[in-house]
């Protein structure tokens, strides 16, 4: 594309579309999406016809949305970290395209992930956060799910993994939504000494990426009655 090899592009893109249609590896499709979107958004200085990339995009997004929920079940923590990065990248790419049909397909896939009983807690938490950020979930729905996640009968480690996915990148959400902060605060109060010792490294990791201003505000909230 940068070298303006238009004939080569015309020959390569149909092969790429065929490869995308045949592959069963949804994570490879997810890796290809952000670059495809960047090409469509910014093009090149020679104003090459990019319509074939639009066809490729129309092939990639439905296949990603269809295959992703099944790919998130029964994965370990290491894979969950990689999946989270891919989900966030695809979420941003689809948002950049600004097409309602694509966004609705993506929201449907995230809703399906949330409904899976064997999905990794971090993946579930991240999916809910993305839906909340796009106003597909209300704060009341988030609070209800948090109440369930942090209920006494659930494993503490899984609860913190969910929190890490939900808060990934920004802690402003629980700072500005008092009900969510209170759920987290109450849960920590109810942890036994052994449980707190077990989850403390995970909690530190979950909060480590927040800005200094966010952590300072949280400290103020903790000190208040």
């Amino acid at each position: 594309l940068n070298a303006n090899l238009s004939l080569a592009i015309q020959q390569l893109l149909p092969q790429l579309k065929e490869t995308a249609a045949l592959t069963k590896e949804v994570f490879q499709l997810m890796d290809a999406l952000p670059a495809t979107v960047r090409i469509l958004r910014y093009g090149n200085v020679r104003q090459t016809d990019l319509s074939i990339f639009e066809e490729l995009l129309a092939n990639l997004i439905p296949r990603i949305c269809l295959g992703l929920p099944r790919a998130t079940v029964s994965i370990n923590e290491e894979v969950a970290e990689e999946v989270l990065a891919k989900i966030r990248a695809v979420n941003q790419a689809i948002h950049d395209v600004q097409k309602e049909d694509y966004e609705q397909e993506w929201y449907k896939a995230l809703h399906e992930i949330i409904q899976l009983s064997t999905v990794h807690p971090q993946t579930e938490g991240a999916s809910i956060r993305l839906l909340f950020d796009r106003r597909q979930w209300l704060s009341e729905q988030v609070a209800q799910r948090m109440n369930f996640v942090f209920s006494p009968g659930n494993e503490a480690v899984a609860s913190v993994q969910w929190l890490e996915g939900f808060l990934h990148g920004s802690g402003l959400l629980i700072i500005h939504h008092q009900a969510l902060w209170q759920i987290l605060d109450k849960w920590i109060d109810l942890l036994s000494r052994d449980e707190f010792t077990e989850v403390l490294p995970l909690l530190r990791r979950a909060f480590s990426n927040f800005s200094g201003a966010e952590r300072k505000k949280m400290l103020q909230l903790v000190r208040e009655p």
Side-chain angles (χ1 to χ4, degrees):
L1 186 63
N2 290 334
N4 197 29
L5 300 177
S6 56
L7 181 59
I9 293 174
Q10 293 174 12
Q11 295 173 342
L12 286 171
L13 263 293
Q15 296 181 38
L16 185 57
K17 285 176 59 179
E18 182 179 359
T19 302
L22 294 177
T23 183
K24 296 181 180 179
E25 180 50 71
V26 67
F27 296 140
Q28 291 183 3
L29 299 178
M30 295 175 76
D31 289 339
L33 184 65
T36 306
V37 171
R38 285 195 298 271
I39 290 172
L40 280 170
R41 290 190 72 194
Y42 303 114
N44 67 347
V45 295
R46 298 177 179 86
Q47 302 299 312
T48 305
D49 180 16
L50 302 177
S51 59
I52 195 166
F53 285 91
E54 294 178 357
E55 297 177 27
L56 177 61
L57 194 68
N59 191 307
L60 285 174
I61 292 179
R63 291 182 60 80
I64 290 171
C65 294
L66 184 64
L68 178 60
R70 292 193 301 271
T72 61
V73 300
S74 302
I75 59 177
N76 59 33
E77 184 173 354
E78 182 178 351
V79 176
E81 289 279 350
E82 298 176 3
V83 171
L84 174 58
K86 295 179 189 298
I87 287 177
R88 289 174 62 85
V90 168
N91 179 76
Q92 184 61 53
I94 291 178
H95 180 66
D96 289 341
V97 176
Q98 296 184 342
K99 284 193 176 182
E100 180 69 19
D101 291 347
Y102 291 156
E103 290 185 354
Q104 291 305 317
E105 285 188 74
W106 178 240
Y107 298 151
K108 181 180 177 182
L110 294 177
H111 276 111
E112 290 180 9
I113 289 173
I114 294 167
Q115 301 304 318
L116 296 170
S117 59
T118 55
V119 67
H120 193 278
Q122 189 180 56
T123 308
E124 179 188 313
S127 299
I128 291 176
R129 173 62 181 271
L130 294 177
L131 289 170
F132 179 80
D133 287 346
R134 301 299 184 202
R135 296 180 175 85
Q136 301 300 306
W137 265 49
L138 302 175
S139 57
E140 292 80 5
Q141 291 175 285
V142 175
Q144 184 178 12
R145 180 57 66 96
M146 278 190 71
N147 267 317
F148 172 76
V149 170
F150 293 103
S151 59
N154 289 333
E155 183 183 355
V157 171
S159 298
V160 179
Q161 289 172 336
W162 186 96
L163 181 69
E164 186 175 11
F166 182 69
L167 295 181
H168 191 277
S170 174
L172 291 175
L173 187 60
I174 56 172
I175 292 176
H176 295 305
H177 291 77
Q178 189 176 21
L180 304 184
W181 175 267
Q182 289 175 343
I183 292 170
L184 179 60
D185 185 48
K186 180 180 178 181
W187 175 74
I188 292 178
D189 278 345
L190 294 176
L191 289 175
S192 68
R193 180 183 296 272
D194 290 341
E195 288 175 328
F196 183 76
T197 301
E198 182 182 16
V199 301
L200 183 57
L202 296 175
L203 283 170
R204 285 176 59 87
R205 188 176 69 180
F207 285 77
S208 63
N209 292 324
F210 299 158
S211 68
E214 288 176 319
R215 293 198 296 269
K216 184 177 180 180
K217 178 61 177 177
M218 291 178 186
L219 184 59
Q220 291 173 349
L221 290 174
V222 171
R223 287 172 172 169
E224 293 174 359

